Amino acid sequence: MKSHYDTLDIHPDSSLAEIKKKFRALSLRFHPDLSKTKVSSNGEKFKQISAAYAVLSHKRDRKLYDLELEDLRKFGRKRGGTGNSGMGRTASGMAYRFQVLEGIFKPKNMVLGLGLGFFTVAAFKSLAGIENEESILQKNKRETGKKKLVEAWYNAKTKKWEQ
């Protein structure tokens, strides 16, 4: 199956202006109502051209499509999706996984998530009456002001003090 780049006969590094120019030229050539040659395959070719342009003309969709294409080349996985929707528009493959995680790693989302998480834990602790955790030594020091002695005993067999 041909990629969208092959359908539009462009290089993957092409700019949006080049994609648009090539789409318009191919649209005029293969449009069922406007083409000079009345071939039955023109309609299908025009649908493929339109689908390719729909994916490649949007920056985000193109990025996802490129990730899917790279995934296909590396791992030999088949394309996801149905019909002419393109690879980047479905819920299968690596590109979808990146799409889901895309917003998580933005700094403002991370700060918001951490703040919300800490606030939720603090609210739950106050509602449930849970005190801050402190070690036994810290608690004893706070109560008496001194560290308590550690319990030890004498082992008669080894003739040593043990804890």
Side-chain angles (χ1 to χ4, degrees):
M1 188 174 235
K2 292 182 0 178
S3 72
H4 290 323
Y5 295 109
D6 295 335
T7 302
L8 292 179
D9 195 28
I10 56 172
H11 194 269
D13 296 332
S14 299
S15 68
L16 184 58
E18 292 170 342
I19 293 171
K20 193 176 203 178
K21 183 178 177 182
K22 194 67 171 183
F23 167 71
R24 288 188 177 171
L26 290 173
S27 293
L28 288 174
R29 183 174 166 201
F30 289 103
H31 193 281
D33 297 333
L34 302 175
S35 66
K36 295 176 183 173
T37 59
K38 301 291 183 185
V39 180
S40 60
S41 64
N42 279 355
E44 187 61 35
K45 181 72 172 171
F46 181 74
K47 288 179 186 177
Q48 291 174 354
I49 292 167
S50 297
Y53 180 71
V55 172
L56 298 180
S57 63
H58 298 348
K59 195 175 193 178
R60 183 168 178 252
D61 290 343
R62 185 176 179 181
K63 184 179 176 183
L64 292 174
Y65 179 77
D66 289 341
L67 286 172
E68 280 282 333
L69 206 57
E70 184 178 330
D71 189 33
L72 177 68
R73 286 187 190 124
K74 281 184 181 177
F75 304 112
R77 293 186 181 156
K78 292 184 178 180
R79 294 181 179 191
T82 59
N84 295 327
S85 63
M87 288 190 276
R89 302 209 177 201
T90 62
S92 65
M94 293 295 286
Y96 178 73
R97 291 182 206 126
F98 289 130
Q99 179 184 4
V100 169
L101 298 175
E102 190 174 67
I104 293 175
F105 298 112
K106 291 182 180 175
K108 67 178 183 179
N109 293 346
M110 291 178 79
V111 169
L112 182 66
L114 287 171
L116 188 61
F118 285 127
F119 175 75
T120 305
V121 169
F124 179 75
K125 279 186 170 184
S126 66
L127 289 174
I130 300 172
E131 297 179 16
N132 287 340
E133 298 174 17
E134 60 183 355
S135 70
I136 295 172
L137 289 176
Q138 290 172 337
K139 196 179 227 181
N140 290 339
K141 188 175 182 182
R142 183 176 45 82
E143 289 173 359
T144 62
K146 297 180 183 177
K147 291 185 179 179
K148 289 189 175 183
L149 295 175
V150 178
E151 185 179 345
W153 60 92
Y154 184 76
N155 189 343
K157 290 181 182 178
T158 60
K159 298 185 179 182
K160 293 183 180 178
W161 287 92
E162 297 177 359
Q163 285 185 350

